């Protein structure tokens, strides 16, 4: 008995691990290192191509609840994240190389997983397959999927630059988390006064962008969570000052006052030698990134270890193609997992890999596939991507808005989040005791 998993990204590795842990052999196909997408640089599995943050870690947040559910399901990636964690206030952020290395080692050393370095351009419906090739599915396989299922869509995603710590002007920067969260060193702040912000803003909105085929800044398929900073800035003079550059909860020690605007930097690795420009996903040409972002005083002489990039993402019109258990309506032996299904975010992708992996095993054994309770974040995401009443399907990340309303809804936001979490985890516990996960 064997199940094929195609793609060793976050969802693929999670699916392969779940299958292998249930005693079923996995053939895990990955085209790296023979071939890489334009956004991938590393030979390691589960490479993080955008931010190194997995969002909020507190259980009374939507992102935190999702992670807690995944921990209850024995998530491989959260074990890796806990091992590779770097300080990030209330968020779970990781040293991306350490994270990917942990996952790669665990997958390659598993007795029930055979890794095959090969680009898959088609798959056989007679096999049980989990397709987890992600938003950067190779052109040949994407063409096969589109011809087979139709209505594959695309949107654009962007990554933020990374600079070296030693090149940051610390006389114009300071460590502090908003409102004193964390230990005070989680974020490095680059403040600007009003005049400095005006100069930066004008340069940002007029800077030259790298060409992206068929890209339009007004295109609704530019996913909001990865909106390029220059596109966001065009929405209004103060849009980014009330967004990723908001100065609330911070005091510049050089002035004793709140800055006019702030760029926050977050550790990219555990050694703290590299820092990520938080919220600064961009499609500016590389020289323009150095020129424009260098107008932020603390980054005047910054060394850019990686420039921001923008790339095409591909996802299915899942409500027409997928069942609630992540199998296809055309053939229930083929499962999809990850961002290609329309779940948006690292952990959302990984969580779908968990469910697709579990259900692939159950399909192989002739057992009924599982869907988590609708009160859980994972259960709601699986329902969203398979809801055929959704006609203008767009990617969805974890949020409390997709959960059923609480019977006694607290007015306080955090209390409300805790109530959602308490209900979800209690229902997940009851569910897992009633079935064999």
């Amino acid at each position: 008995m064997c199940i094929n998993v195609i793609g060793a990204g976050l969802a693929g590795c999670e699916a392969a691990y779940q299958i292998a842990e249930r005693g079923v052999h996995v053939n895990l196909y990955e085209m790296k290192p023979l071939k890489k997408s334009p956004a991938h640089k590393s030979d390691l599995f589960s490479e993080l191509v955008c931010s190194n943050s997995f969002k909020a870690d507190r259980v009374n947040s939507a992102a935190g609840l999702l992670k807690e559910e995944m921990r209850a399901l024995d998530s491989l990636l959260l074990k890796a994240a806990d091992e590779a964690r770097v300080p990030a206030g209330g968020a779970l952020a990781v040293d991306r190389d350490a994270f990917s290395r942990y996952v790669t080692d665990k997958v390659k050393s598993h007795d029930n997983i055979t890794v095959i370095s090969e680009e898959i351009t088609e798959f056989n419906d007679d096999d049980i397959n989990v397709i987890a090739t992600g938003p950067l599915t190779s052109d040949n396989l994407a063409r096969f999927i589109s011809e087979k299922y139709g209505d594959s869509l695309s949107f654009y995603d962007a990554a933020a630059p990374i600079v070296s710590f030693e090149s940051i002007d610390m006389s114009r920067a300071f460590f502090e988390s908003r409102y004193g969260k964390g230990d005070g060193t989680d974020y490095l702040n680059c403040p600007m006064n009003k005049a400095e912000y005006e100069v930066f803003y004008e340069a940002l909105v007029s800077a030259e962008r790298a060409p992206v085929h068929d890209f339009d800044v007004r295109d609704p398929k530019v996913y909001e969570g990865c909106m390029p900073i220059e596109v966001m800035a065009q929405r209004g003079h103060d849009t980014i000052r009330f967004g990723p550059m908001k100065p609330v909860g911070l005091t510049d020690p050089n002035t004793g006052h709140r800055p006019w605007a702030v760029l926050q930097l977050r550790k990219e690795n555990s050694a703290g030698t590299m820092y990520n420009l938080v919220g600064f996903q961009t499609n500016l040409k590389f020289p323009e990134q150095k020129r424009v972002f260098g107008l932020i005083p603390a980054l005047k002489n910054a060394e850019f270890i990686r420039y921001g990039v923008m790339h095409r993402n591909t996802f299915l019109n899942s409500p027409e193609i997928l069942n609630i258990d992540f199998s296809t309506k055309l053939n229930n032996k083929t499962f999809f997992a990850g961002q290609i299904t329309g779940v948006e975010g690292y952990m959302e992708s990984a969580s779908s890999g968990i469910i697709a992996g579990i259900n692939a095993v159950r399909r192989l054994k002739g057992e009924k596939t599982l869907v988590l309770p609708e009160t859980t974040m994972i259960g709601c995401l699986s329902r969203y991507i398979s809801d055929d009443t959704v006609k203008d399907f767009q990617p969805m990340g974890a949020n409390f808005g997709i959960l059923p309303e609480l019977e006694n809804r607290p007015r306080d936001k955090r209390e409300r989040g805790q109530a959602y979490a308490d209900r979800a985890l209690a229902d997940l516990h009851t569910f897992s005791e009633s079935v064999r996960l």
Side-chain angles (χ1 to χ4, degrees), residues 316-331:
L316 300 170
N317 188 2
S318 292
E320 294 187 4
I321 295 170
L322 298 183
N323 296 311
I324 196 170
D325 62 1
F326 290 94
S327 66
T328 65
K329 295 178 180 178
L330 185 64
N331 171 23

Side-chain angles (χ1 to χ4, degrees), residues 185-332:
T185 62
D186 293 352
Y187 289 92
L188 180 57
N189 302 282
C190 304
M192 285 185 281
N193 59 34
K194 185 176 181 179
E196 291 163 343
Y197 175 79
E198 297 287 345
V199 172
F200 167 75
Y201 175 80
E202 293 301 327
L204 178 63
V205 295
S206 61
E208 189 175 3
R209 302 175 190 176
V212 180
H213 182 61
D214 290 339
F215 173 66
D216 185 335
V217 298
R218 297 162 297 180
D219 190 342
K221 294 178 185 178
V222 179
Y223 182 64
E224 289 288 335
C226 283
M227 178 69 66
I229 189 70
E230 63 273 11
V231 175
M232 189 183 302
Q234 285 195 326
R235 294 179 169 182
H237 185 274
D238 288 324
T239 300
I240 58 175
R241 202 169 68 82
F242 289 100
M245 300 192 75
K246 62 180 179 288
V248 295
L250 298 169
T251 301
D252 185 346
N254 291 320
T255 65
H257 301 291
R258 186 175 76 180
W260 184 255
V262 168
L263 164 64
Q264 287 199 308
L265 308 181
R266 182 179 56 231
K267 280 185 183 180
E268 181 66 24
N269 61 346
S270 54
T273 57
M274 300 185 293
Y275 274 75
N276 187 293
L277 279 62
V278 178
F280 265 47
Q281 299 88 353
T282 182
N283 188 45
L284 297 183
K285 288 188 172 182
F286 290 175
E288 290 287 77
Q289 292 184 41
K290 186 172 182 63
R291 178 183 71 85
V292 175
F293 300 151
L295 294 172
I296 299 171
L299 301 185
K300 182 178 180 181
N301 299 309
E303 173 195 9
F304 285 78
I305 294 173
R306 184 194 74 187
Y307 286 104
V309 294
M310 192 165 190
H311 47 83
R312 177 181 59 83
N313 277 355
T314 300
F315 62 96
L316 300 170
N317 188 2
S318 292
E320 294 187 4
I321 295 170
L322 298 183
N323 296 311
I324 196 170
D325 62 1
F326 290 94
S327 66
T328 65
K329 295 178 180 178
L330 185 64
N331 171 23
N332 67 13

Side-chain angles (χ1 to χ4, degrees), residues 133-152:
T133 47
L136 300 171
T137 298
S138 67
D139 290 342
N140 290 330
L141 182 56
R143 191 176 302 112
F144 174 81
I145 292 171
S146 183
E147 290 173 355
K148 191 175 188 65
Y149 300 105
D151 285 330
S152 62

Side-chain angles (χ1 to χ4, degrees), residues 52 104 114 116 141 165 193 214 239 242 249 252 325 336 363 366 375 379 408 424-425:
N52 68 326
T104 304
T114 299
I116 303 171
L141 182 56
F165 174 71
N193 59 34
D214 290 339
T239 300
F242 289 100
D252 185 346
D325 62 1
F336 279 85
R363 184 78 74 212
T375 52
N408 298 303
L425 296 175

Side-chain angles (χ1 to χ4, degrees), residues 409-427:
R409 189 173 186 266
R411 297 184 64 180
D412 180 80
K413 183 177 179 180
R414 293 215 169 192
E415 290 181 4
R416 189 161 62 247
Q418 190 63 54
Y420 277 123
D422 291 343
R423 182 182 67 178
L425 296 175
D427 288 352

Side-chain angles (χ1 to χ4, degrees), residues 11-82:
C13 286
E14 198 72 88
Y17 178 78
Q18 294 292 329
I19 295 166
E21 285 290 282
R22 285 163 175 77
V24 176
H25 192 82
V26 180
N27 285 330
L28 175 59
Y29 293 89
E30 170 54 51
M31 68 180 188
K32 294 195 302 184
L34 302 177
K35 182 178 179 180
K36 294 186 178 75
S37 77
H40 287 98
K41 308 300 179 188
S42 170
D43 290 342
L44 298 172
F45 298 165
S46 293
E47 181 180 355
L48 306 180
V49 298
C50 291
S51 170
N52 68 326
S53 172
F54 296 145
K55 302 179 185 176
D57 202 25
R58 53 186 174 81
V59 71
N60 61 358
S61 68
L65 171 57
L66 175 67
K67 286 190 276 290
E68 200 62 26
E69 292 175 6
M70 291 172 63
R71 286 190 173 98
L73 297 172
D74 190 33
S75 165
L76 170 64
L77 297 191
L78 280 171
K79 294 175 185 176
D82 288 337

